[in-house]
Amino acid sequence: MCLGNDNKRDKHLHVAYGNSAYLMLPARGRLVPGHCVIAPIAHCDSSRNVDEGTWEEMRNFKKCLVKMFASKNQECCFIETVVKLGGGGLGAVGAALSKHTVVECIPLPYDVAERAPMYFKKAIDEAE
């Protein structure tokens, strides 16, 4: 996901670039039409660890997506999954092993979106 990597296989999925973040289509299938991904350009393990400028750009992408999907009577569900945050105390080696963060945007019809928090709460309550 880092644009610094010479990984050209997913470039055709990129939709828009900012100075420090970009918007792309998911590399492995989409959950629903309109499903997209926001990611920082530089490697980062969590959006909570990005600098202020990157956070602002990611937030602006979110705002634009919310407006776009609202015009289609849909609401955005933003999901970020963080894996191996901080590398488990392994220092620089652990940081290198951490996954690049992405924020997924999943557009939902309004009636489904208003029930989504209930489903997330139930899943978290049932998780071990």
Side-chain angles (χ1 to χ4, degrees), residues 69-82:
F69 287 117
S71 72
K72 298 178 179 190
N73 296 319
Q74 294 178 312
E75 195 169 318
C76 295
C77 179
F78 293 103
I79 301 172
E80 178 179 12
T81 303
V82 178

Side-chain angles (χ1 to χ4, degrees), residues 33-89:
H35 178 187
C36 56
V37 174
I38 303 167
I41 289 174
H43 180 80
C44 190
D45 56 3
S46 167
S47 64
R48 299 187 98 186
N49 294 335
V50 298
D51 62 52
E52 192 174 324
T54 303
W55 175 254
E56 184 77 21
E57 265 190 27
M58 291 176 75
R59 201 175 99 229
N60 286 339
F61 274 123
K62 287 180 182 181
K63 284 184 200 177
C64 292
L65 289 169
V66 166
K67 278 186 177 180
M68 180 182 80
F69 287 117
S71 72
K72 298 178 179 190
N73 296 319
Q74 294 178 312
E75 195 169 318
C76 295
C77 179
F78 293 103
I79 301 172
E80 178 179 12
T81 303
V82 178
V83 180
K84 295 184 181 179
L85 183 60

